[in-house]
Amino acid sequence: MQEMDFPRAPDGAVVVSHRKDADGISSAAMIRSLTSAEIFLTDYADMAETLSRIKNCKELFVCDLGLNPTTFGAFFDELQRLRIKEGASVHYIDHHPINSEYRSKLTVAGVDIYHSTEECTSVLIYTKYLENLKDSPKMKILACCGAITDYMDSRLEARKLIGSFDRQFLLYEATVLSFSIATIGRGGKESNRRLIELARDLASGKLPHEIDGASEYAQTYAKRAALLMEKIRDEGVRRKNFAYFKTRESATGNVANFLIGAFDVPVGVAIREEEVGFYEISLRSREGSSYDLGKIVGRIASRLGASGGGHPNASGARIRKSQLEQFLKMLEEELSKS
Ligand SMILES: [Mn+2]
């Protein structure tokens, strides 16, 4: 990335958010609209590396990035560097389950934590900065997009926000945004830069449907999704309580959801080879299911010495390739007993 493309915000604000979905991108855009922050997008695998690239930061916002045993140490070291060496104040805004040890370490370090598992991150940002955002209908729309695409649109605050717009319009905006993110996310080395551009456009007041190329991105994704659904039907593997499929898709959550429909099972498991030797696994459960996938996957991962966890209906893990059969067997056992 050319430094020149993204001039630093005059007040030295920086937002680091999740690059994978509409909640993360919307969060970055909302913070930028409030602070003109420079945007960095990241994912769990490169979170600490991304933070290490931040210099001259006076105010740091970390959004939609859950903390887990694999990432916390290096993440915390980078926060400390920014706090102590750069004198940055740090805000951590997130909705993934957080363990009490991490919470107290962040609190002791003076991090401003705004956390709840009740609403998605972009809705949390909207409520935290309500006074500054309440006159920005476009930021409100982005918060709704985050809630819809994170499957958190039935939550209390999200419902209030969504109820103030035409629902179909919001569904369209949310879908165009998430399909665009999924298409751009496949763009290799260029994709991070283009996602940052997308977030900057949203911050400046463009709606998802006004983004350059948005309808083509969405159309491209819809076509691929239809093909993918057929392929999943043909090549997915059904086990007792779940079905799985190996994929190169970056939107593994969608793949997991397609599996649930294609095989009429309560849980879908998408398995993605992200780096040599490792699988990134995404799990989703059918709406109304009583499984707590976050806890189940957390237990399996810790028994395998791997990392994993998440929400009751959406979770993930990263395991060594050689552990896949073991992982699937443990999952079968866990799902049979709960
Ligand atoms: Mn989220």
Side-chain angles (χ1 to χ4, degrees):
M1 168 178 27
Q2 295 255 310
E3 288 289 337
M4 295 295 288
D5 287 345
F6 302 119
R8 194 170 300 283
D11 55 356
V14 171
V15 55
V16 180
S17 192
H18 201 188
R19 77 161 74 87
K20 271 192 94 174
D21 60 34
D23 189 33
I25 304 273
S26 294
S27 296
M30 291 169 77
I31 293 294
R32 182 176 165 87
S33 85
L34 286 164
T35 63
S36 43
E38 184 179 2
I39 296 172
F40 287 71
L41 296 174
T42 192
D43 199 357
Y44 296 109
D46 57 348
M47 215 159 115
E49 185 274 324
T50 304
L51 286 167
S52 75
R53 286 189 280 118
I54 299 174
K55 303 271 148 49
N56 306 322
C57 168
K58 289 291 159 251
E59 194 149 23
L60 174 69
F61 297 84
V62 179
C63 303
D64 201 33
L65 289 162
L67 303 171
N68 65 52
T70 314
T71 58
F72 186 76
F75 168 80
F76 190 69
D77 290 347
E78 285 301 328
L79 284 197
Q80 291 293 67
R81 173 185 70 80
L82 287 159
R83 279 186 53 257
I84 297 160
K85 297 216 175 113
E86 305 260 340
S89 42
V90 179
H91 310 273
Y92 177 74
I93 310 170
D94 187 58
H95 68 121
H96 300 86
I98 182 171
N99 86 28
S100 51
E101 181 198 332
Y102 302 160
R103 185 192 278 270
S104 63
K105 277 197 168 165
L106 292 174
T107 308
V108 169
V111 173
D112 163 38
I113 303 173
Y114 195 76
H115 180 274
S116 165
T117 55
E118 288 304 307
E119 305 281 348
C120 70
T121 304
S122 46
V123 170
L124 291 177
I125 292 171
Y126 192 82
T127 55
K128 180 173 166 71
Y129 298 108
L130 183 64
E131 276 313 302
N132 310 76
L133 287 170
K134 65 177 193 291
D135 299 320
S136 314
K138 288 177 176 170
M139 295 304 125
K140 197 172 176 183
I141 289 172
L142 289 186
C144 294
C145 289
I148 290 166
T149 54
D150 260 18
Y151 293 83
M152 295 190 79
D153 49 323
S154 61
R155 302 308 176 92
L156 189 69
E157 292 300 327
R159 270 203 339 237
K160 281 192 229 162
L161 300 181
I162 290 167
S164 60
F165 293 103
D166 174 58
R167 181 173 167 77
Q168 230 171 319
F169 175 73
L170 288 180
L171 292 177
Y172 183 75
E173 293 296 337
T175 303
V176 166
L177 179 56
S178 76
F179 284 11
S180 296
I181 293 167
T183 303
I184 296 171
R186 294 174 51 82
K189 277 193 346 207
E190 275 291 283
S191 66
N192 201 55
R193 190 185 60 76
R194 286 166 67 201
L195 288 170
I196 291 172
E197 269 171 17
L198 169 64
R200 289 167 59 98
D201 283 347
L202 297 172
S204 72
K206 279 193 186 176
L207 286 173
H209 80 269
E210 294 170 320
I211 299 294
D212 272 348
S215 35
E216 290 92 284
Y217 289 141
Q219 188 68 11
T220 302
Y221 182 79
K223 280 185 191 158
R224 280 168 26 76
L227 288 174
L228 184 62
M229 273 192 275
E230 275 179 49
K231 199 164 153 47
I232 287 171
R233 208 169 279 278
D234 294 341
E235 296 171 21
V237 181
R238 190 200 176 115
R239 294 261 180 120
K240 193 167 158 223
N241 295 304
F242 65 91
Y244 70 89
F245 178 71
K246 284 189 189 168
T247 179
R248 298 215 167 253
E249 282 302 306
S250 69
T252 45
N254 294 354
V255 170
N257 281 324
F258 288 153
L259 281 159
I260 294 172
F263 291 90
D264 192 22
V265 282
V267 173
V269 182
I271 301 160
R272 179 172 178 238
E273 189 176 6
E274 197 171 48
E275 37 184 312
V276 182
F278 287 89
Y279 284 127
E280 181 202 90
I281 303 182
S282 283
L283 300 93
R284 295 289 184 276
S285 63
R286 189 156 47 202
E287 206 163 316
S289 135
S290 58
Y291 294 127
D292 191 330
L293 289 182
K295 287 200 178 129
I296 288 173
V297 171
R299 278 200 292 272
I300 296 174
S302 74
R303 277 157 66 196
L304 292 174
S307 65
H311 308 289
N313 354 353
S315 70
R318 184 172 168 276
I319 61 170
R320 268 190 281 286
K321 278 182 104 169
S322 58
Q323 296 175 313
L324 182 62
E325 207 29 62
Q326 242 181 320
F327 180 94
L328 295 172
K329 197 162 161 267
M330 287 178 178
L331 180 63
E332 187 140 13
E333 285 164 10
E334 287 274 356
L335 294 176
S336 301
K337 68 185 177 203
S338 38

